[in-house]
């Protein structure tokens, strides 16, 4: 039987590996005990705890290199020694799809490797500014490769970045992780529907059910409806009313569901 790791064990593991300082670890645990977690660093450490408990740890002794693949096709390759921890959370129905992950890099080793994209752009600067990893590739010593698809939040702009992804710098550790949600604010959902790729998908689905509707009419009809929905939650209201509107949630459904968009 595998011993369940406690929060203290998990955070201590980062400190024992000289990735975070003992002060950082201690301060985080004190804030957590008092219910006062805040900021990007606390969020990253909390994600680490969550995945350490429920995710699948990758045995890095069996990994020769790790490759991050970005939306535009560019790749960032790490030797296994650069990677301190990798925990994957796989979709139950599709093991090649990641519903979440946490990747902890050793800053000293990783940065010294001078990772740059074609054209000289600094890869770590890109990670800080744009969260658009679409795949994680693992290669073993026999050059066997396994690829894991990173699930993007449905409220993300499909052409830009994944709002579930985060990159945080803590002491000597670089955290890259995604945490997916199952429910979303109605406001965010409507905004996401206005992104070009999502909007076009809605129009395509609508016209497949009502082919007699012209493309121009369909686009106009949905544009008006979406803008009216946004306007309804953007008018002057009390703070309590605003919170109530934002708590109107939509759930994630499979694309083959009989449920319609509206």
């Amino acid at each position: 039987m595998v011993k369940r790791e406690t929060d203290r064990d998990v955070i201590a593991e980062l400190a024992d590996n000289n990735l975070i300082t003992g002060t950082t670890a201690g301060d985080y645990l004190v804030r957590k005990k008092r219910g006062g977690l805040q900021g990007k660093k606390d969020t990253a450490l909390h994600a680490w705890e969550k995945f350490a408990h429920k995710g699948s740890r990758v045995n890095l002794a069996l990994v020769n290199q790790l490759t991050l693949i970005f939306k535009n096709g560019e790749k960032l390759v790490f030797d296994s020694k650069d990677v301190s921890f990798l925990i994957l959370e796989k979709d139950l129905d599709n093991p090649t799809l990641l519903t979440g992950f946490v990747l902890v890099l050793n800053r000293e080793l990783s940065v010294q490797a001078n990772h740059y994209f074609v054209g000289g752009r600094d890869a770590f600067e890109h990670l800080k500014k744009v969260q658009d990893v679409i795949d994680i590739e693992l290669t073993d010593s026999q050059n066997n490769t396994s690829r894991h698809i990173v699930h993007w939040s449905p409220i993300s702009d499909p052409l830009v970045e994944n709002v579930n992804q985060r990159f945080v710098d803590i002491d000597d550790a670089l955290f890259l992780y995604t945490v997916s949600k199952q429910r979303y604010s109605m406001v965010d959902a409507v905004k996401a529907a206005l992104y070009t790729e999502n909007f076009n998908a809605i129009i395509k689905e609508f016209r497949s059910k009502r082919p007699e509707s012209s493309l121009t009419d369909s686009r106009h009809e949905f544009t008006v409806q979406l803008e009216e929905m946004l306007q309804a939650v953007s008018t002057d209201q009390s703070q309590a009313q605003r919170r109530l509107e934002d708590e109107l949630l939509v759930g994630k459904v499979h694309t083959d569901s009989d449920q319609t968009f509206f």
Side-chain angles (χ1 to χ4, degrees):
M1 180 180 293
V2 177
K3 182 178 80 70
R4 180 179 174 84
E5 295 170 291
T6 65
D7 294 346
R8 187 173 297 278
D9 292 334
V10 171
I11 295 299
E13 188 172 15
L14 294 174
D16 290 343
N17 281 271
N18 298 316
L19 292 166
I20 65 174
T21 67
T23 300
T24 296
D27 289 348
Y28 168 79
L29 291 171
V30 168
R31 286 194 297 273
K32 183 180 179 186
K33 185 176 182 179
R34 294 175 177 172
L37 292 183
Q38 57 187 352
K40 295 179 180 179
K41 293 183 179 181
D42 279 354
T43 302
L45 291 174
H46 191 61
W48 159 255
E49 288 182 328
K50 172 186 174 182
F51 282 106
H53 291 317
K54 59 182 284 191
S56 300
R57 284 202 186 202
V58 173
N59 184 351
L60 296 172
L62 305 177
V63 175
N64 191 42
Q65 68 180 30
L66 178 147
T67 304
L68 300 178
I69 302 173
F70 297 89
K71 184 71 174 179
N72 65 358
E74 289 185 307
K75 297 182 179 182
L76 178 56
V77 180
F78 296 94
D79 290 334
S80 58
K81 69 177 186 299
D82 297 336
V83 182
S84 296
F85 298 102
L86 175 62
I87 303 178
L88 307 177
E89 185 179 65
K90 301 178 182 180
D91 184 89
L92 295 177
D93 299 321
N94 181 2
T96 64
L97 178 66
L98 298 180
T99 56
F101 72 88
V102 59
L103 169 64
V104 184
L105 302 170
N106 184 315
R107 178 226 290 274
E108 183 180 354
L109 293 174
S110 300
V111 174
Q112 284 180 355
N114 295 322
H115 289 293
Y116 293 95
F117 289 128
V118 174
R121 290 191 302 110
D122 184 280
F124 287 108
E125 285 302 311
H126 178 89
L127 280 174
K128 290 178 183 178
K129 295 176 181 177
V130 185
Q131 309 306 314
D132 63 344
V133 174
I134 59 170
D135 294 314
I136 297 176
E137 243 180 31
L138 301 176
T139 306
D140 65 19
S141 58
Q142 304 301 316
N143 280 330
N144 298 312
T145 299
S146 59
R147 177 176 287 198
H148 303 276
I149 303 167
V150 178
H151 170 71
W152 275 38
S153 167
I155 64 168
S156 298
D157 185 333
L159 301 178
V160 181
E161 62 182 347
N162 180 8
V163 299
N164 285 344
Q165 186 181 316
R166 301 284 186 274
F167 181 77
V168 183
D169 186 342
I170 307 176
D171 299 333
D172 285 324
L174 301 173
F175 289 77
L176 178 69
Y177 66 98
T178 68
V179 180
S180 62
K181 295 181 179 180
Q182 294 298 314
R183 306 185 78 191
Y184 303 89
S185 158
M186 178 63 80
V187 177
D188 289 339
V190 176
K191 287 180 179 177
L194 287 168
Y195 293 138
T196 301
E197 189 169 305
N198 293 339
F199 186 79
N200 289 339
I202 293 170
I203 298 302
K204 181 179 179 181
E205 178 67 19
F206 178 73
R207 295 192 69 220
S208 71
K209 300 292 192 297
R210 290 176 53 182
E212 72 280 1
S213 178
S214 72
L215 178 60
T216 300
D217 288 345
S218 296
R219 294 185 69 87
H220 176 72
E221 180 178 345
F222 277 92
T223 299
V224 170
Q225 285 191 47
L226 291 169
E227 288 179 348
E228 285 179 349
M229 292 171 73
L230 280 179
Q231 183 63 32
V233 295
S234 299
T235 54
D236 285 337
Q237 304 171 69
S238 68
Q239 286 297 320
Q241 286 175 314
R242 285 183 180 275
R243 285 196 297 270
L244 180 61
E245 290 288 357
D246 201 48
E247 286 169 2
L248 291 174
L249 300 177
V250 292
K252 178 181 170 184
V253 297
H254 292 292
T255 54
D256 59 356
S257 168
D258 289 334
Q259 299 182 53
T260 57
F261 181 78
F262 290 105

